Amino acid sequence: MDRSLRVAVLGHVDHGKSTTIGRLLHDTDSLPTGKLEELEAISKRRGVPLEWSFVLDALQAERDQAVTIDTTRVWFTWKDRRYAIIDAPGHREFVRNMLSGASEADAAVLVVDAIEGIGEQTRRHAHLARLLGLRQLAVAINKLDAIGFDRAGFDRLAEDARALLAGLGLEARATIPVSARDGDNLVHRSARTPWYDGPTLIEALDAFENLDMPAESPLRLRVQDVYRIDDRRIAVGRIESGRVAVGDTVVLLPSGANATVRSIDRWNAPVAEVAIAGESIGLSFHEPVFVDRGDTIAHPEGAPPLDYAFRAVVFWLSEAPPVVGEYLVAQFGPTSARVRVAGIGRALDTSSLADVATGAVPQYAMLELDLRGRVQLPLDTQASLPATSRLVLMRETDVVGGGFVESVATRATNLHPSGHLVTRAEREAVHGHRAAVLWMTGLSGAGKSTLAMALERRLFGSGYNAFVLDGDNIRAGLNRDLGFAPADRSENLRRVAEVAALLAEAGTIAIVAFISPMEADRELARQACGSDFKEIYISTDVETCEARDTKGLYARARAGEIADFTGVSAPYEAPGSPDIAIQTRGRSVDECVDELLTFVKQAVAPH
Amino acid sequence: MPRDADLDELEARSIYILREARRCVAPLAMLWSIGKDSTALLWLARKAFFGAVPFPVVQLDTEMELPEVYQFRDDIAKAWDLDLRVEMCPPEASVDQTLPPASRAAARKTEGLKNLIGHAGYKGVLVGIRRDEQATRAKERVFSPRSFGSDWDVRNQPSEFWNHYTTDVPEGTHLRIHPLLHWTEVDIWRYHERENIPFCDLYFAREGKRYRSLGEKNITVPIESNASTIAEIIAELETTREPERAGRVMDHDSEDSFERLRTAGYM
Ligand SMILES: Nc1nc2c(ncn2[C@@H]2O[C@H](COP(=O)(O)OP(=O)(O)OP(=O)(O)O)[C@@H](O)[C@H]2O)c(=O)[nH]1
Ligand SMILES: [Mg+2]
């Protein structure tokens, strides 16, 4: 048996979505025994004429207020085909529920009230239909009884609907004059619209196709979990696109490790050496590769590109707007990534269709968000592979948006978008090395500035273009408005990071020497600099630093003359996994710089 | 014979949900009413986890089930090596007496479930309900957060789309997880038939009557039927216009009786 065709019924509040579905069930003879009598009784008790919508609107609050609150689903069979009809609420307050229902649809019917015409949520739902990738659409102009089945009235509304959809690059397969309440042109062709010779609603549904998961596209499986069974590690997940076979070489992303498929595991199912899109399977490999939840499995040819930054088109669900600089979690199925909002492109109010200010994005806007992860992500785009380009955005535990990856930004142009006619690659070619941000962190007296200056000298002597940023040259000018309170220290580091990123963009090796005691500040710096960022931990222990006390600061801190002194009265959060750690205790400056030079030369070697 | 694409899709989605639940929600348990749905759910758990059900399986017992049900429970628990826990529900006298009589029996199960969550501290409970059973169940989420008192806040459910589920809930609250939400009654039978899943034979007709839905003996009535094979049950369902839960007295006490039960925490 084929799977049911899933159809979402969309449109503005009160335009007759639930009525359409209730009446459709009746006209296809799908209502259970006693339902009609029950509806009559309920309607009578509430003092209203027979309300077909009560078939769907089952909650007391829904019936009392005559409004659909939450999405629901009903099934029926017509001409040997099964349909699952998804009723969506049309009220503005319940757009989140509409999305929950409609996101699973193969096709949609947009219901428009003949008296009211296109409403706010008609436009919004049409936008969402596009976002959800619903290409199979029908429009039902409803309540034709209320305009006396007037053909000209219908034509006007049909044109309005056509224009709305066309503006979104969508087109309805049919635009049908209906009276849902009376059943005109739902299942039975109406005698009251002799001028209409297009399909009835059920005929329009019959012409829609099931959208199956794309078996012919490149392989994508996102790992949900890894089970240990007997001696094997089995990675489990659902194939979102493509196919995989025993013996295939696959690549695990983001690690990039290759592996050969040893088995495709299912329980109590026919043995098959191939699995295709839609299947929930297990995979084991010949090689002892490390695989974990969130990894993407693809074929090496046709694997998604890895990148930090991408632009997403997002439907914003939260009342609190997105803020540049804030962190969100992007969920691509089981793959989850912390991302920073690096920028907001265009934002559109989906009810008025007007552009809105990106500084105060209203709830339910459609917007472009530039997002940047701290690790590389496998990124498919809407154009290349729609299914795996979809993402859900979370703020803490709330879903704040849903959308898709529109484009993957290439690193150099994305970092500091600008109109430079000289590219970074050209600048690097002139210098003969790549640029980087060498971020030295460590306690006061650990040797950061000494090593930074010595390193700068040695690099320059070998033909490298390098420049040190430290407290002396930054705090004296650029940051002279900042003190040493925690917020000022963070702002100080934020500016340093931005300057360092610009220097790197200019092709220079920026050497940064700041205590930068907090992991969070260094994380922000890393975000600002992207993959240019190299964390160098000058790991000299506190006793050694205090014994050196070149500036007498430890003594003053111990005496209580300096508050919040890192290592004495304020914490130092040592880096968990620095790119390199240098212990200076008992070693000469030259020895340490030699070690640094080896690391740096490798890090900036041309590709 | 080609595989049934519809069942394959339903099964793959349920397995996906079960695996998400197992990975993201702990501690986890499954409710087993010993009926056709939750037995199919157990079977799907065996599929998802390669044969062994990796969490406790709980029966909320009212001691009012039919004897065949208990027998079936014990046989399956043994054969499938289940970690079966029986949670005895509190007596009828302890539940809300303003509820209509048949609803009170259901409310006992709600109380049993609350007790279970209270003492076992489950963060997630897998339940085999389906949208097509009942109009308020149709409005459920796959991962449905419940407040401290197990209440269902139907006006304020989280968005759930593109296989992204709410798995993080505050301390003191829990998730009801519904891996069968997208199945219909006939799907369940077709799956039983294809997979050859054992089930309690009260579903087969005896002397012109069979149970279509299994509940406590005091509040469930058998329907007229001669179906004595799954194929006959399926044929019957394809033509019947009787609702599945017609035999469940509690659903029909009043217009809102089932909704009241559910908002108060019933499955
Ligand atoms: N005259 C007339 N009234 C209709 C027709 N269809 C629906 N209605 C009425 O329009 C009102 C709203 O219908 P619903 O079906 O509840 O509308 P809805 O689009 O589902 O509304 P929400 O779900 O709340 O967004 C009800 O009072 C219906 O009786 C129709 O064809 N003709
Ligand atoms: Mg409605």
Side-chain angles (χ1 to χ4, degrees), chain A residues 13-14 16-19 51 67-68 90 142-143 145 179-181:
Chain A
V13 63
D14 266 355
K17 298 176 292 299
S18 302
T19 305
E51 265 297 352
V67 62
T68 302
N142 185 30
K143 309 193 189 179
D145 55 291
S179 167
R181 196 192 57 193

Side-chain angles (χ1 to χ4, degrees), chain B residues 97-156:
Chain B
Q97 297 295 312
T98 69
L99 286 167
S103 293
R104 269 179 250 160
R108 288 184 64 197
K109 289 209 169 178
T110 311
E111 290 311 312
L113 178 55
K114 286 184 193 172
N115 290 344
L116 171 75
I117 288 163
H119 69 73
Y122 293 125
K123 204 72 195 156
V125 183
L126 292 152
V127 187
I129 61 165
R130 308 186 321 267
R131 289 192 202 279
D132 75 323
E133 283 177 277
Q134 212 283 335
T136 60
R137 282 186 175 164
K139 292 183 182 278
E140 267 291 358
R141 293 290 181 273
V142 179
F143 283 64
S144 175
R146 297 307 161 105
S147 70
F148 192 66
S150 285
D151 298 355
W152 182 38
D153 184 359
V154 63
R155 294 192 64 117
N156 224 339

Side-chain angles (χ1 to χ4, degrees), chain B residues 62-117:
Chain B
T62 53
E63 294 186 305
M64 294 297 281
E65 306 289 350
L66 296 148
E68 292 89 334
V69 171
Y70 290 107
Q71 186 60 49
F72 179 76
R73 176 193 73 187
D74 295 339
D75 292 349
I76 291 293
K78 188 145 176 269
W80 293 357
D81 195 18
L82 302 178
D83 175 3
L84 176 69
R85 318 257 173 110
V86 175
E87 176 74 26
M88 198 54 67
C89 298
E92 195 175 315
S94 70
V95 305
D96 181 356
Q97 297 295 312
T98 69
L99 286 167
S103 293
R104 269 179 250 160
R108 288 184 64 197
K109 289 209 169 178
T110 311
E111 290 311 312
L113 178 55
K114 286 184 193 172
N115 290 344
L116 171 75
I117 288 163

